[in-house]
Amino acid sequence: MISLYSTRIAQYLAAALLLLLASSAQAGLWPQEERVPGGIALLEIPQRSAAAPHVYFNERRVYTHQRDGRWYAWVGIPLSQTPGATQALWRTRDGDIALPFVVADKAYPTQRLTVAPRHVDLSAEDLARVQRETPELRGAMDDFHPVRIALPEQVTLPLEGRRTSPFGFRREFNGQARNPHNGLDIAAPTGTPILAALPGRVVAQADYFFNGKTVVLDHGLGFTSLYCHMSQFTDLQIGDRVEAGQVIGYVGSTGRSTGPHLHWTISLNGARVDPDLFLTEQQR
Ligand SMILES: [Zn+2]
């Protein structure tokens, strides 16, 4: 009898262990945390209900994710964030609860680039175009759509190729300081297919002055990705659903670009964050 029981117990334990492994394997996408400008703070929210908590940072709604029955806020920290103590706010029925955290400094190197003068000293016409396009593109990147899209365990690398410009570099174009690099550049021959990093919906597809032919994907709850400088679009239309790994365009050098490459940006709560935080060691 004893041996029968111990066999049963062993079977039970094995089954429980398998369940545990299975549930941890189904935890979903999980970025690497880095509490710096351009990084991500993963904050646990002590809410036990199944309903997603409402969390805000810099007055923007934050992406939330449930893992092992616990809720987490993925707070995107903008490159413009001043290092030091800050807080996100958890909105509850009894009022806002502060979720304090500290942003460490990060020194990003400076990169000097030479491009067509047209893309540095803008004509009145080009300036007017940029002023029209900027709010459109920001809206596509930053608008919070309260839709939860099931995300896979891993991000699909949109393009295999040589990395030409990392995230966060301070930039000078033709000797003039411009905004820091808010994405990751990967070079590949013109026409190479570009893949959707995650499932989502097409929320912008247009030819912009700086970004060239560009697609923006919405992954729900303020999580978006941007793909720029394409030579060609696909048959996709704004509003279409895409799967991870689906071809969404082809490498090019349209817009302010020094050669055929993909500029890839990931954004959380309106903050551009380092795409490397979503990639595995092998993908980097
Ligand atoms: Zn770039």
Side-chain angles (χ1 to χ4, degrees):
M1 283 304 272
I2 288 165
S3 73
L4 181 62
Y5 273 126
S6 51
T7 310
R8 288 240 168 104
I9 288 165
Q11 281 170 346
Y12 171 79
L13 286 176
L17 183 68
L18 273 175
L19 261 175
L20 195 69
L21 286 172
S23 66
S24 63
Q26 286 162 5
L29 187 66
W30 192 253
Q32 187 188 318
E33 184 174 54
E34 199 183 3
R35 295 180 177 185
V36 297
I40 301 170
L42 304 173
L43 306 177
E44 188 182 340
I45 314 300
Q47 173 163 310
R48 290 290 169 265
S49 69
H54 288 208
V55 178
Y56 292 79
F57 183 61
N58 291 342
E59 292 171 9
R60 286 181 184 277
R61 181 96 177 260
V62 171
Y63 188 87
T64 52
H65 178 88
Q66 197 174 27
R67 191 189 212 204
D68 301 332
R70 293 171 193 274
W71 282 104
Y72 295 86
W74 295 1
V75 182
I77 305 168
L79 277 164
S80 58
Q81 182 77 28
T82 308
T86 187
Q87 61 183 29
L89 292 173
W90 173 30
R91 192 147 294 170
T92 74
R93 240 173 292 169
D94 307 322
D96 287 350
I97 295 172
L99 305 163
F101 64 100
V102 175
V103 177
D105 202 359
K106 183 168 181 178
Y108 291 104
T110 296
Q111 187 180 34
R112 293 178 178 84
L113 295 160
T114 305
V115 294
R118 165 171 187 243
H119 281 117
V120 181
D121 297 304
L122 273 57
S123 68
E125 195 186 325
D126 287 339
L127 189 63
R129 181 178 162 191
V130 167
Q131 284 167 346
R132 272 196 317 274
E133 291 174 353
T134 304
E136 180 186 317
L137 200 51
R138 286 222 177 113
M141 291 290 288
D142 299 351
D143 286 352
F144 185 94
H145 299 119
V147 178
R148 185 172 294 280
I149 296 174
L151 300 180
E153 295 287 312
Q154 270 190 27
V155 159
T156 299
L157 188 64
L159 179 68
E160 299 272 357
R162 189 169 57 90
R163 286 167 171 233
T164 49
S165 187
F167 174 88
F169 275 35
R170 296 159 205 276
R171 296 186 118 180
E172 284 179 14
F173 286 94
N174 304 355
Q176 297 188 42
R178 290 292 183 267
N179 288 335
H181 192 227
N182 64 16
L184 171 64
D185 287 354
I186 306 168
T190 299
T192 309
I194 296 166
L195 313 179
L198 290 164
R201 204 168 283 285
V202 178
V203 286
Q205 182 172 258
D207 191 354
Y208 296 107
F209 180 76
F210 284 122
N211 294 316
K213 289 186 177 166
T214 296
V215 170
V216 180
L217 300 182
D218 179 14
H219 310 296
L221 308 173
F223 184 0
T224 60
S225 59
L226 168 93
Y227 309 79
C228 302
H229 309 302
M230 293 176 174
S231 57
Q232 269 188 74
F233 294 128
T234 62
D235 294 337
L236 285 166
Q237 303 294 321
I238 289 175
D240 283 354
R241 175 71 202 248
V242 299
E243 298 309 320
Q246 188 175 334
V247 176
I248 55 164
Y250 299 90
V251 172
S253 190
T254 53
R256 183 177 65 188
S257 168
T258 54
H261 77 284
L262 168 69
H263 170 100
W264 176 40
T265 290
I266 284 186
S267 188
L268 290 167
N269 54 274
R272 315 297 178 243
V273 299
D274 190 347
D276 269 345
L277 299 175
F278 283 93
L279 296 179
T280 62
E281 285 293 325
Q282 293 75 30
Q283 288 174 316
R284 289 182 193 174

